[in-house]
Amino acid sequence: MLAIQVLINALVLGCLYACIAIGFSLVWGVLNVINLIHGSFIVLGAYLAWGAYNSLGLSPWYALLIAAPAFFVFGYLLQRLLLNRVITAPVLVTLTLTFGLDLILNNAMIYYFKADYRKLILNPPTGSISIFDVVVPVDRLIATASALALTFLLYLLLRRSKVGRAIVAVRLDRDAAVLMGVDVKSIYATAFGLGAALAGCAGVLMALIFPISPLTSSAYLGKAFVVCVLGGLGSVSGALAGGLLLALVEGVGSVYLGPAHAVTLSFVLLIIFLVVRPQGLLGRKGFE
């Protein structure tokens, strides 16, 4: 029964990890930018859900409807006004710029919210489902379903819409996309906006489960990085596979070695993949 509980926990957490990483993977795969501000976007989304619920009485599900467009516009403008100026520069330049932006946003959150941990507590509580000895909190199930829905919506957008096909074309061959009449600058901004929107929505979902603090942004960024490497860059299904694998390794490691070793195990797995399969589980060689 313990194995089933670990497997279900990994399934729930893996879908949330995929939602955390998918926007990061999209930006990295399309713009070739390692977006170090991604973790702070997630924390800001969590604060949005916490503030909307405690100040306005809005359910976190309504907060999702606010977070998605607000973060998309913020990300779109950030790319057009700042990142676009250095998009063709060496990767170290964009890395430094996003690191600086992350410091500004993170310190602003520490100034306004302090570094204390806060928790979004729903009233009345959603309870849990218990089958034999296996217990699953309902809020985690709803958050998992929402994460899967967001992942599926991005998949549909990339596969079935004109702008989605343009994003994929720019990712595969930027020069060929330009020759075909694609506005690459607009696609870059759209991809960055989508990445920010997914990060904000992931933050809303994480607020239902984990305590909120600006100090957790680096942990979310680290998990997004590991999931991208495990699953493969720019791949929706890869992000899902990487998230599930990371959650399974952390879950098994926590049971047999203790929770303190879960992060160590995830980075050991990261190093193994970088050496053995740098393109990830479902990524294509040449995009690692």
Side-chain angles (χ1 to χ4, degrees):
M1 202 58 71
L2 176 62
I4 296 175
Q5 182 72 64
V6 170
L7 197 61
I8 290 177
N9 289 346
L11 186 64
V12 169
L13 205 54
C15 293
L16 292 170
Y17 282 174
C19 192
I20 285 176
I22 198 166
F24 184 77
S25 176
L26 182 70
V27 171
W28 193 355
V30 176
L31 284 75
N32 195 30
V33 169
I34 301 173
N35 181 21
L36 297 185
I37 200 173
H38 190 79
S40 290
F41 279 162
I42 294 172
V43 175
L44 192 60
Y47 274 120
L48 188 148
W50 179 84
Y53 185 74
N54 288 292
S55 301
L56 306 174
L58 285 178
S59 158
W61 321 123
Y62 290 112
L64 276 176
L65 301 177
I66 299 172
F71 275 85
F72 176 82
V73 172
F74 183 48
Y76 188 96
L77 294 176
L78 193 63
Q79 200 285 332
R80 289 305 290 255
L81 298 177
L82 287 178
L83 279 171
N84 197 44
R85 297 174 184 273
V86 296
I87 196 71
T88 56
V91 68
L92 188 60
V93 176
T94 56
L95 201 65
T96 305
L97 178 58
T98 57
F99 178 68
L101 292 172
D102 180 59
L103 285 179
I104 293 171
L105 181 57
N106 202 264
N107 280 303
M109 288 192 291
I110 291 175
Y111 178 80
Y112 283 106
F113 301 111
K114 311 303 177 190
D116 301 335
Y117 283 84
R118 307 180 189 198
K119 183 74 179 76
L120 176 58
I121 300 174
L122 297 178
N123 187 23
T126 53
S128 60
I129 296 175
S130 179
I131 302 176
F132 297 109
D133 290 335
V134 177
V135 180
V136 185
V138 172
D139 54 358
R140 290 198 175 206
L141 281 178
I142 297 173
T144 301
S146 302
L148 281 175
L150 288 169
T151 306
F152 185 62
L153 283 174
L154 179 66
Y155 177 82
L156 286 181
L157 178 75
L158 294 178
R159 295 289 178 183
R160 302 293 175 85
S161 70
K162 187 177 178 181
V163 68
R165 287 193 290 270
I167 290 173
V168 174
V170 170
R171 173 182 175 262
L172 293 176
D173 192 328
R174 178 184 182 277
D175 294 332
V178 171
L179 292 174
M180 297 301 292
V182 175
D183 184 349
V184 173
K185 288 184 179 178
S186 175
I187 292 301
Y188 277 167
T190 303
F192 198 88
L194 284 172
L198 288 164
C201 291
V204 172
L205 300 179
M206 298 306 279
L208 288 165
I209 300 171
F210 297 108
I212 307 163
S213 168
L215 303 180
T216 57
S217 66
S218 57
Y220 287 136
L221 179 64
K223 291 191 185 302
F225 190 86
V226 174
V227 170
C228 283
V229 173
L230 297 183
L233 280 182
S235 167
V236 175
S237 53
L240 191 57
L244 291 172
L245 178 59
L246 176 62
L248 187 62
V249 168
E250 285 187 352
V252 174
S254 296
V255 170
Y256 291 103
L257 299 176
H261 298 286
V263 175
T264 305
L265 280 175
S266 65
F267 280 96
V268 168
L269 189 66
L270 169 72
I271 293 170
I272 292 172
F273 263 73
L274 284 174
V275 173
V276 177
R277 192 176 171 80
Q279 72 271 31
L281 286 171
L282 301 177
R284 291 176 52 189
K285 203 163 187 177
F287 286 96
E288 62 267 31

